[in-house]
Amino acid sequence: MATTTPLTSPDQHREPPPLLGGALWWALCAAAALGLAVCSSLGPHRLWGTAAALGYLAAALLAARGRSPRTAGAVAVTGAVLLPLLWLLAVDRAQLEVRVVARSAGLLLAEGTPYLQHPVVPEDFNPYLPGMAVFGLPEAVDGPGPLTDPRLWMGAAFLGAFAFALPAGARRAPLRWIAACPLVALPLAVGGVDLPVAGLMCLGLALAGRGRAGAAGLALGSAAALKWTAWPAIPVILALLAVSSRSAGHSADRAAARCGLVALLTAAALVLPAALRDPGAFRTHVVDFPLGLTDAVSSAASPLPGHLLATHVPGGRTLALLLLGVSALLLGLSLALRPPATPADAAARLALGLLLAIAFMPASRFGYLVHPLVLVVWAAARQTPDQHPLLLRVRKQVSR
């Protein structure tokens, strides 16, 4: 007698993702956190580094004693995220970006634009698109407080979007790992505007992979209204939808066009009202300042190739911008000649493009690497272990 097996969604009942784990990984994280605590001149970063180093060290000791990855990961998250976050909230300390977002929300409510008309010092500039001010609205409406702090809402947006982008049966391990990873744990505790952008890009990729073009466009448009760094995700996902629709026998142009239209309308609805309110201020804050074209110098000055060229080579800023344009052109050519066939392939292509952009931007910082990191982890979480043989798999110890 023949039997049939019901088909399940490809996002259902997957094995947990192959992720780095074990005592060595947590020891390396502890060393990185301790290095930041010693070298950083920023108070919130030093506090985070001290607390995180202790949490990572405890996780390393637990892993070395044979405790489960779940237990070690929970201890790492406690030390690297929860404890420093609660302390910083209690003493009202945060990274500069948190105060910029809170101020931009107040300006948006009062004047219809989140940008100061005559910025002077770097702290006056708001290099983010108008949508970022949404995370400061609770504080602008209800006043400062632990529950209205913008970093809580940015962190919640990231974790929520990343969770919904993961396979339904394998969310806990990737969420625990990514939250404990130093590049993510630091902005979760001290505040970081890149996290919600990265989470929404992953959500857009996941929705496109499920054939939900309109929903993918909504996620992409929301991300594109936060920071320019989300815009490269749009052509990558449109190329993915075109290939997926063609292989399924549907019109390739239809799904991609629907996604692109929704993304454009969503971004326009969130950006244009504030941008048109004061176009000059908009350009000064979100175009000139990040590109280093203003008298005030951005604090984003990590020693990456673009910054080194702009700082130490005559005409280096122009050369860095040229390399940035060439990188974008190469990404576009790769999408036209060999478009990504799966969401994981699209995530890897986008991660590479963003990595090149981060490297060649005149004003950049190592923290921006959270974008390619989150994309790569998300791609790995969607794959079975045999599809990623070079990644280390976390071995679960099952107690009986």
Side-chain angles (χ1 to χ4, degrees), residues 67-143:
R67 300 298 295 270
S68 70
R70 178 182 301 178
T71 301
V75 170
V77 170
T78 301
V81 179
L82 295 180
L83 292 180
L85 173 61
L86 291 175
W87 179 260
L88 289 169
L89 286 173
V91 298
D92 194 24
R93 298 288 300 278
Q95 198 163 260
L96 175 62
E97 286 89 331
V98 176
R99 301 277 66 87
V100 170
V101 171
R103 184 189 66 210
S104 69
L107 288 171
L108 182 64
L109 292 180
E111 303 178 15
T113 174
Y115 307 110
L116 289 172
Q117 193 170 15
H118 300 292
V120 178
V121 296
E123 292 77 11
D124 292 339
F125 285 88
N126 171 19
Y128 317 121
L129 292 170
M132 192 67 73
V134 169
F135 298 109
L137 289 177
E139 181 171 317
V141 172
D142 229 10

Side-chain angles (χ1 to χ4, degrees), residues 8-56:
T8 59
S9 165
D11 281 349
Q12 302 291 331
H13 311 301
R14 288 186 183 272
E15 290 292 322
L19 298 172
L20 291 169
L24 179 59
W25 167 250
W26 297 124
L28 290 174
C29 291
L34 186 59
L36 183 66
V38 172
C39 299
S40 178
S41 60
L42 302 176
H45 286 199
R46 291 198 301 270
L47 187 147
W48 176 86
T50 303
L54 294 174
Y56 290 137

Side-chain angles (χ1 to χ4, degrees), residues 355-381:
L355 189 62
L356 291 173
I358 292 166
F360 295 130
M361 283 192 299
S364 188
R365 59 164 56 106
F366 288 118
Y368 296 162
L369 294 173
V370 70
H371 290 289
L373 169 72
V374 170
L375 288 165
V376 168
V377 171
W378 177 81

